Amino acid sequence: MDEYFDVSVTDPVEIDLHLFDRWVLGYTEEDSVVQKRQTFIQHSPAEVTMVSDELFSRQWVEREIKREVAQQYMLFRALKEVLAEPRKGLSSQSLFQLSSTLANTVIERFYALDELLLRELAGKKLATKLRRDLDDVEEKTMIPLVACKRQFDNVRRVLDKYKEEDSEVGDLASSIADTFMISKDLAKQYSSIVFLCYHRFECGRKRVAAFTFADLRHFAFTLTAHWTETGKGLQFDSKYLVRLQDLRSHVYNDKETLETCRKSSMRFLREAG
């Protein structure tokens, strides 16, 4: 693709959010040029593309579209490193002067998650090998590979931060929202996938194959509320785990007692609706 660059300084930085969304979803510059050209033709008066004056000629329009898309994509690639650590990145640099509203919008969209992808990642070790195999996930979920990698990297980045914490975080979702400058609703999605991957729950087994990520998220929130030290954190309550181990030694090895517990649990769930 030909390169079109003009040198300019803007304060604050201007971002085409429609192009940013396409970049986040994995569309190439060429794809976006084609889409933008089609949009221009559809929304412009017919006579605009018919006149011979260079200002409104098709050649001029094509050049301007390519230039705009190229500049925006170059900006997005430069922003990517800043968005990896938004609170630190935005405060420690002066190149990208974003209004607070625009910054929040860009961060939220960059960290957006797709539940179909999260279902594939749930409970797994987010290692380099898994990232290399994301083309299988792309084929299964129909999510572009670039978008799969972006979300994988974002989830792993958040997970790594809390794996490195020396002490229990009080409220995981609130901490994620504050650290990565995202909304509380999006942070709750991250807290659930982080919880499932941190504790390596086996979400790929046949018995839970029909579960959606919404089901697993509810499971994660329930365990977080009742089994963690703070009721909102990441670490299981150690005293509670000891009691569970004692209960298992008494129940798991006694088939009759285990069957009684199973029936009681099923009856409770049916009555609860």
Short mmCIF file of all heavy atoms in Angstrom, two decimals, residues 83 85-88 90 103-104 107-108 111 158 161-162 169 171-192 194 232:
data_model
loop_
_atom_site.label_atom_id
_atom_site.label_comp_id
_atom_site.label_asym_id
_atom_site.label_seq_id
_atom_site.Cartn_x
_atom_site.Cartn_y
_atom_site.Cartn_z
N LEU A 83 -1.51 2.29 25.89
CA LEU A 83 -2.73 1.65 26.39
C LEU A 83 -2.43 0.39 27.19
O LEU A 83 -3.29 -0.07 27.95
CB LEU A 83 -3.65 1.32 25.23
CG LEU A 83 -4.24 2.52 24.48
CD1 LEU A 83 -4.99 2.08 23.24
CD2 LEU A 83 -5.15 3.32 25.40
N GLU A 85 -0.46 0.17 29.65
CA GLU A 85 -0.49 0.64 31.04
C GLU A 85 -1.09 2.04 31.02
O GLU A 85 -0.37 3.03 31.17
CB GLU A 85 0.91 0.66 31.64
CG GLU A 85 1.55 -0.69 31.81
CD GLU A 85 2.90 -0.60 32.49
OE1 GLU A 85 3.91 -0.42 31.79
OE2 GLU A 85 2.94 -0.68 33.74
N PRO A 86 -2.39 2.14 30.85
CA PRO A 86 -3.01 3.45 30.59
C PRO A 86 -2.79 4.50 31.66
O PRO A 86 -2.49 5.65 31.34
CB PRO A 86 -4.50 3.10 30.45
CG PRO A 86 -4.67 1.78 31.11
CD PRO A 86 -3.38 1.05 30.88
N ARG A 87 -2.90 4.13 32.92
CA ARG A 87 -2.75 5.14 33.96
C ARG A 87 -1.32 5.68 33.99
O ARG A 87 -1.09 6.89 34.07
CB ARG A 87 -3.15 4.57 35.33
CG ARG A 87 -3.16 5.63 36.44
CD ARG A 87 -3.87 5.13 37.67
NE ARG A 87 -5.29 4.86 37.43
CZ ARG A 87 -6.21 5.79 37.34
NH1 ARG A 87 -5.89 7.08 37.44
NH2 ARG A 87 -7.48 5.46 37.15
N LYS A 88 -0.36 4.80 33.92
CA LYS A 88 1.04 5.20 33.91
C LYS A 88 1.41 5.82 32.56
O LYS A 88 2.07 6.86 32.50
CB LYS A 88 1.94 3.99 34.19
CG LYS A 88 3.42 4.30 34.11
CD LYS A 88 4.23 3.03 34.34
CE LYS A 88 5.73 3.30 34.20
NZ LYS A 88 6.53 2.05 34.39
N LEU A 90 -0.42 7.30 30.09
CA LEU A 90 -1.00 8.60 29.74
C LEU A 90 -0.44 9.73 30.58
O LEU A 90 -0.36 10.87 30.13
CB LEU A 90 -2.52 8.55 29.88
CG LEU A 90 -3.26 7.68 28.85
CD1 LEU A 90 -4.74 7.59 29.18
CD2 LEU A 90 -3.07 8.26 27.44
N ALA A 103 -9.98 9.79 26.09
CA ALA A 103 -9.09 8.77 26.67
C ALA A 103 -9.90 7.62 27.24
O ALA A 103 -9.59 6.44 27.01
CB ALA A 103 -8.21 9.39 27.74
N ASN A 104 -10.95 7.93 27.99
CA ASN A 104 -11.78 6.88 28.58
C ASN A 104 -12.45 6.02 27.51
O ASN A 104 -12.53 4.80 27.65
CB ASN A 104 -12.85 7.50 29.49
CG ASN A 104 -12.26 8.11 30.75
OD1 ASN A 104 -11.18 7.73 31.18
ND2 ASN A 104 -12.96 9.06 31.33
N ILE A 107 -9.70 3.76 25.79
CA ILE A 107 -9.27 2.68 26.68
C ILE A 107 -10.35 1.60 26.79
O ILE A 107 -10.06 0.41 26.72
CB ILE A 107 -8.94 3.25 28.08
CG1 ILE A 107 -7.71 4.15 28.00
CG2 ILE A 107 -8.68 2.12 29.09
CD1 ILE A 107 -7.47 4.98 29.26
N GLU A 108 -11.59 2.03 26.96
CA GLU A 108 -12.70 1.09 27.10
C GLU A 108 -12.83 0.21 25.86
O GLU A 108 -13.03 -1.01 25.97
CB GLU A 108 -14.01 1.85 27.35
CG GLU A 108 -15.18 0.99 27.74
CD GLU A 108 -15.17 0.57 29.20
OE1 GLU A 108 -14.24 0.99 29.93
OE2 GLU A 108 -16.09 -0.17 29.61
N TYR A 111 -9.85 -2.30 25.53
CA TYR A 111 -9.91 -3.41 26.49
C TYR A 111 -11.22 -4.21 26.40
O TYR A 111 -11.45 -5.11 27.20
CB TYR A 111 -9.72 -2.90 27.92
CG TYR A 111 -8.27 -2.70 28.28
CD1 TYR A 111 -7.64 -1.49 28.05
CD2 TYR A 111 -7.51 -3.75 28.79
CE1 TYR A 111 -6.30 -1.31 28.35
CE2 TYR A 111 -6.17 -3.59 29.10
CZ TYR A 111 -5.57 -2.36 28.87
OH TYR A 111 -4.24 -2.20 29.16
N VAL A 158 -3.58 -8.33 32.62
CA VAL A 158 -4.30 -8.11 33.87
C VAL A 158 -4.01 -9.26 34.84
O VAL A 158 -3.75 -9.04 36.04
CB VAL A 158 -5.81 -7.98 33.62
CG1 VAL A 158 -6.57 -7.85 34.95
CG2 VAL A 158 -6.10 -6.76 32.74
N LYS A 161 -0.53 -9.07 36.43
CA LYS A 161 -0.41 -8.05 37.46
C LYS A 161 -0.81 -8.58 38.83
O LYS A 161 -0.14 -8.34 39.83
CB LYS A 161 -1.25 -6.83 37.12
CG LYS A 161 -1.31 -5.87 38.31
CD LYS A 161 -1.91 -4.58 38.07
CE LYS A 161 -1.98 -3.73 39.34
NZ LYS A 161 -0.69 -3.57 40.03
N TYR A 162 -1.90 -9.34 38.86
CA TYR A 162 -2.41 -9.81 40.15
C TYR A 162 -1.75 -11.11 40.60
O TYR A 162 -1.79 -11.44 41.78
CB TYR A 162 -3.93 -9.92 40.10
CG TYR A 162 -4.54 -8.54 39.99
CD1 TYR A 162 -4.91 -8.02 38.75
CD2 TYR A 162 -4.64 -7.71 41.10
CE1 TYR A 162 -5.41 -6.72 38.65
CE2 TYR A 162 -5.13 -6.42 41.00
CZ TYR A 162 -5.52 -5.93 39.77
OH TYR A 162 -5.99 -4.65 39.66
N VAL A 169 -5.76 -8.69 47.19
CA VAL A 169 -6.39 -7.43 46.81
C VAL A 169 -7.78 -7.41 47.44
O VAL A 169 -8.48 -8.42 47.45
CB VAL A 169 -6.46 -7.29 45.28
CG1 VAL A 169 -7.22 -8.44 44.66
CG2 VAL A 169 -7.09 -5.97 44.88
N ASP A 171 -10.75 -5.67 46.70
CA ASP A 171 -11.85 -5.78 45.74
C ASP A 171 -11.23 -5.87 44.36
O ASP A 171 -10.78 -4.86 43.81
CB ASP A 171 -12.77 -4.56 45.87
CG ASP A 171 -14.00 -4.65 44.97
OD1 ASP A 171 -13.93 -5.34 43.94
OD2 ASP A 171 -15.02 -4.02 45.31
N LEU A 172 -11.20 -7.07 43.79
CA LEU A 172 -10.49 -7.30 42.54
C LEU A 172 -11.04 -6.46 41.39
O LEU A 172 -10.29 -5.81 40.67
CB LEU A 172 -10.56 -8.79 42.17
CG LEU A 172 -9.84 -9.19 40.87
CD1 LEU A 172 -8.36 -8.84 40.94
CD2 LEU A 172 -10.02 -10.69 40.61
N ALA A 173 -12.37 -6.45 41.23
CA ALA A 173 -12.97 -5.69 40.13
C ALA A 173 -12.67 -4.20 40.24
O ALA A 173 -12.33 -3.54 39.25
CB ALA A 173 -14.47 -5.94 40.08
N SER A 174 -12.79 -3.65 41.45
CA SER A 174 -12.52 -2.22 41.65
C SER A 174 -11.05 -1.90 41.40
O SER A 174 -10.73 -0.85 40.82
CB SER A 174 -12.91 -1.81 43.07
OG SER A 174 -14.30 -1.91 43.26
N SER A 175 -10.18 -2.80 41.81
CA SER A 175 -8.75 -2.59 41.58
C SER A 175 -8.42 -2.61 40.10
O SER A 175 -7.64 -1.78 39.61
CB SER A 175 -7.94 -3.69 42.30
OG SER A 175 -6.55 -3.52 42.07
N ILE A 176 -9.02 -3.53 39.36
CA ILE A 176 -8.79 -3.59 37.91
C ILE A 176 -9.32 -2.34 37.23
O ILE A 176 -8.66 -1.75 36.37
CB ILE A 176 -9.48 -4.85 37.31
CG1 ILE A 176 -8.78 -6.12 37.81
CG2 ILE A 176 -9.46 -4.80 35.79
CD1 ILE A 176 -9.48 -7.40 37.41
N ALA A 177 -10.51 -1.90 37.64
CA ALA A 177 -11.10 -0.69 37.05
C ALA A 177 -10.20 0.52 37.28
O ALA A 177 -10.01 1.34 36.38
CB ALA A 177 -12.49 -0.45 37.65
N ASP A 178 -9.64 0.63 38.47
CA ASP A 178 -8.78 1.77 38.80
C ASP A 178 -7.43 1.68 38.10
O ASP A 178 -6.94 2.67 37.55
CB ASP A 178 -8.58 1.83 40.32
CG ASP A 178 -7.70 3.00 40.72
OD1 ASP A 178 -8.13 4.15 40.55
OD2 ASP A 178 -6.57 2.76 41.20
N THR A 179 -6.83 0.49 38.10
CA THR A 179 -5.50 0.32 37.51
C THR A 179 -5.49 0.52 36.00
O THR A 179 -4.61 1.17 35.45
CB THR A 179 -4.95 -1.08 37.84
OG1 THR A 179 -4.89 -1.24 39.27
CG2 THR A 179 -3.56 -1.26 37.26
N PHE A 180 -6.52 -0.03 35.33
CA PHE A 180 -6.54 0.00 33.87
C PHE A 180 -7.52 1.03 33.32
O PHE A 180 -7.74 1.10 32.09
CB PHE A 180 -6.85 -1.39 33.32
CG PHE A 180 -5.74 -2.38 33.59
CD1 PHE A 180 -5.76 -3.17 34.73
CD2 PHE A 180 -4.67 -2.49 32.72
CE1 PHE A 180 -4.73 -4.07 35.00
CE2 PHE A 180 -3.63 -3.38 32.97
CZ PHE A 180 -3.66 -4.17 34.11
N MET A 181 -8.11 1.83 34.19
CA MET A 181 -8.98 2.95 33.81
C MET A 181 -10.14 2.50 32.92
O MET A 181 -10.45 3.13 31.91
CB MET A 181 -8.14 4.02 33.09
CG MET A 181 -7.05 4.63 33.96
SD MET A 181 -6.00 5.81 33.07
CE MET A 181 -7.19 7.11 32.70
N ILE A 182 -10.77 1.38 33.29
CA ILE A 182 -11.92 0.89 32.55
C ILE A 182 -13.15 0.94 33.44
O ILE A 182 -13.06 1.15 34.65
CB ILE A 182 -11.70 -0.56 32.04
CG1 ILE A 182 -11.40 -1.50 33.22
CG2 ILE A 182 -10.58 -0.60 31.01
CD1 ILE A 182 -11.21 -2.95 32.80
N SER A 183 -14.32 0.75 32.84
CA SER A 183 -15.57 0.82 33.59
C SER A 183 -15.68 -0.35 34.56
O SER A 183 -15.03 -1.39 34.39
CB SER A 183 -16.76 0.80 32.63
OG SER A 183 -16.87 -0.46 32.00
N LYS A 184 -16.52 -0.20 35.57
CA LYS A 184 -16.70 -1.27 36.56
C LYS A 184 -17.30 -2.50 35.91
O LYS A 184 -16.93 -3.63 36.25
CB LYS A 184 -17.61 -0.76 37.70
CG LYS A 184 -17.68 -1.70 38.90
CD LYS A 184 -16.32 -1.86 39.57
CE LYS A 184 -16.40 -2.76 40.80
NZ LYS A 184 -17.14 -2.15 41.92
N ASP A 185 -18.22 -2.32 34.96
CA ASP A 185 -18.83 -3.47 34.30
C ASP A 185 -17.79 -4.28 33.52
O ASP A 185 -17.78 -5.52 33.59
CB ASP A 185 -19.94 -3.01 33.34
CG ASP A 185 -21.20 -2.56 34.07
OD1 ASP A 185 -21.35 -2.92 35.26
OD2 ASP A 185 -22.02 -1.85 33.46
N LEU A 186 -16.91 -3.59 32.79
CA LEU A 186 -15.87 -4.29 32.05
C LEU A 186 -14.87 -4.93 33.01
O LEU A 186 -14.39 -6.04 32.79
CB LEU A 186 -15.16 -3.33 31.10
CG LEU A 186 -14.05 -3.91 30.21
CD1 LEU A 186 -14.56 -5.10 29.40
CD2 LEU A 186 -13.48 -2.83 29.29
N ALA A 187 -14.57 -4.23 34.10
CA ALA A 187 -13.64 -4.77 35.10
C ALA A 187 -14.18 -6.05 35.73
O ALA A 187 -13.42 -6.96 36.06
CB ALA A 187 -13.38 -3.72 36.19
N LYS A 188 -15.50 -6.15 35.87
CA LYS A 188 -16.10 -7.38 36.41
C LYS A 188 -15.88 -8.55 35.47
O LYS A 188 -15.67 -9.69 35.91
CB LYS A 188 -17.59 -7.16 36.67
CG LYS A 188 -17.89 -6.28 37.88
CD LYS A 188 -19.39 -6.10 38.07
CE LYS A 188 -19.69 -5.25 39.30
NZ LYS A 188 -21.14 -5.04 39.48
N GLN A 189 -15.94 -8.28 34.17
CA GLN A 189 -15.63 -9.34 33.20
C GLN A 189 -14.19 -9.80 33.36
O GLN A 189 -13.91 -11.01 33.36
CB GLN A 189 -15.87 -8.85 31.78
CG GLN A 189 -17.31 -8.86 31.32
CD GLN A 189 -17.42 -8.70 29.81
OE1 GLN A 189 -16.95 -7.72 29.25
NE2 GLN A 189 -18.04 -9.66 29.16
N TYR A 190 -13.29 -8.84 33.49
CA TYR A 190 -11.88 -9.20 33.68
C TYR A 190 -11.67 -9.95 34.99
O TYR A 190 -10.91 -10.92 35.05
CB TYR A 190 -11.00 -7.94 33.64
CG TYR A 190 -10.58 -7.55 32.26
CD1 TYR A 190 -11.27 -6.57 31.55
CD2 TYR A 190 -9.50 -8.17 31.62
CE1 TYR A 190 -10.89 -6.21 30.26
CE2 TYR A 190 -9.12 -7.81 30.34
CZ TYR A 190 -9.82 -6.83 29.66
OH TYR A 190 -9.45 -6.49 28.39
N SER A 191 -12.34 -9.53 36.05
CA SER A 191 -12.14 -10.19 37.35
C SER A 191 -12.60 -11.64 37.28
O SER A 191 -11.97 -12.52 37.89
CB SER A 191 -12.89 -9.45 38.45
OG SER A 191 -14.30 -9.54 38.30
N SER A 192 -13.66 -11.92 36.53
CA SER A 192 -14.14 -13.30 36.45
C SER A 192 -13.19 -14.19 35.64
O SER A 192 -12.88 -15.31 36.06
CB SER A 192 -15.55 -13.34 35.85
OG SER A 192 -15.58 -12.76 34.56
N VAL A 194 -9.99 -13.62 35.12
CA VAL A 194 -8.76 -13.70 35.91
C VAL A 194 -8.92 -14.73 37.02
O VAL A 194 -8.02 -15.56 37.26
CB VAL A 194 -8.40 -12.32 36.50
CG1 VAL A 194 -7.37 -12.45 37.61
CG2 VAL A 194 -7.88 -11.40 35.41
N LYS A 232 -14.52 -10.37 47.79
CA LYS A 232 -14.43 -9.68 46.50
C LYS A 232 -13.05 -9.85 45.87
O LYS A 232 -12.77 -9.28 44.84
CB LYS A 232 -14.68 -8.18 46.69
CG LYS A 232 -16.09 -7.83 47.16
CD LYS A 232 -16.25 -6.33 47.31
CE LYS A 232 -17.66 -5.96 47.76
NZ LYS A 232 -17.82 -4.49 47.89
#
